[in-house]
Amino acid sequence: MAVADLSPAYTSTDFTNSCFSYVSSSTRLSSHRRLSYRHLPRTSTTAIRCSVTSDKIQAPAGIDISDPKQKTECFGVFCLTYDLKADDETQSWKKMINVAVSGAAGMISNHLLFKKTVNKILKSQLASGEVFGPDQPIALKLLGSERSFGALEGVAMELEDSLFPLLREVSIGIDPYEVFEDAEWALLIGAKPRGPGMERADLLDINGQIFAEQGKALNEVASRNVKVMVVGNPCNTNALICMKNAPNIPAKNFHALTRLDENRAKCQLALKAGVFYDKVSNVTIWGNHSTTQVPDFLNAKIHGVPVPEVIRDRKWLEEDFTKMVQTRGGVLIKKWGRSSAASTAVSIVDAIRSLVTPTPEGDWFSTGVYTNGNPYGIAENIVFSMPCRSKGDGDYELVKDVIFDDYLRNRIKKSEDELLAEKKCVAHLTGEGIAVCDLPEDTMLPGEM
């Protein structure tokens, strides 16, 4: 998981013949001069942008690189490529969309932005057309911290060198009020991991402050219909905090990532049944992205047949299967020494794709969404993972044709109680009063030790 830098310390960086410009509300320094700067706090209106990489670089015909109006809010070579928005629109290109990514210098983002395909060609999941389609140009807006800014520069350089034809613009920064401007998708990955001796309540407060600020930034500068995918943990409650701090954005547009849990559940069911995972459908993860989550085998299907009719070992389903999904992340850490990053990135892509492509007939997918108006009797005013379908327009509807038994309802209630308690812990961040933290138990996140 990407780490958010909460340190107030300033850093000083010296560039010689670098490719960076320092942009403020009143001054722009040449990218070809030796300069020293420090990253400034939020109260300033400054931003760090990249311009051209060499004094000898030649601009395309018709572009005056001395003109300060020419795409100053961009990184490197993207300042010199033609502006798709200024071109005559054709039937072969869609209007460019803006995708913001926080924690963009972290491992999950690295896998999200760069992926090796089977033929070993480096390919960006976001920029290659794998997510939004082969004719959809995008602009990437990458948010980092002061501590990670050097790595963020490296990410942008690799994006330059990868020559993605659909990637038209790249901008980087440490201020969400600048990076999130006009964002139509916001993938909020950066968060502080839980350290040794840290109580879950402390983690909720520390990360909650990050997502409260990011919610305010989205509310102020992002597209009014921005879709927000919260990955940083505890993602359900972080999504609730972010949503509550963005009252001008529809609550339905906020999601907490539970797709990795769904993918893990499909894998375990496929292994037990001796089938390939594409034969497993209708898998739901109910509740919180924690060890109280409920992988639903009752409504899941294998070859279109209910799982309990295919896997007749009810004890395995209730105990072994459920525990394997809930604790898979922790087992992976023990085996590999670090938390899942590649599979998390894949699940982010799966989650977005489920919203921008029509759901296959009869199937559904899991995502953590706002519970108001849900048909399951789950408490309102929390973010809870539930089964959804989409028409491919970025929106979704909750699935109504699901069945429950006592086992499933009791498990769902436990996860619901945990999320209600988490909400009380962050009441000071959601505008709902004074925080009172009385968690039922100190449950772990799936990737925690």
Side-chain angles (χ1 to χ4, degrees), residues 28 33 41 53 65 120 126 135 179 203 234 248 269 288 316 359 361 411:
R28 183 169 182 241
R33 292 164 54 189
T53 56
I65 62 174
K120 298 184 180 180
L126 288 179
D135 58 349
V179 176
L203 184 68
N248 295 333
L269 291 174
N288 199 5
W316 180 88
T359 307
E361 184 69 26
R411 288 297 183 104

Side-chain angles (χ1 to χ4, degrees), residues 21-30 33 35 45-49 68 72-73:
S21 313
Y22 174 87
V23 181
S24 73
S25 58
S26 59
T27 306
R28 183 169 182 241
L29 300 180
S30 169
R33 292 164 54 189
L35 62 128
T45 58
T46 59
I48 309 302
R49 303 293 183 189
T72 58
E73 302 280 312

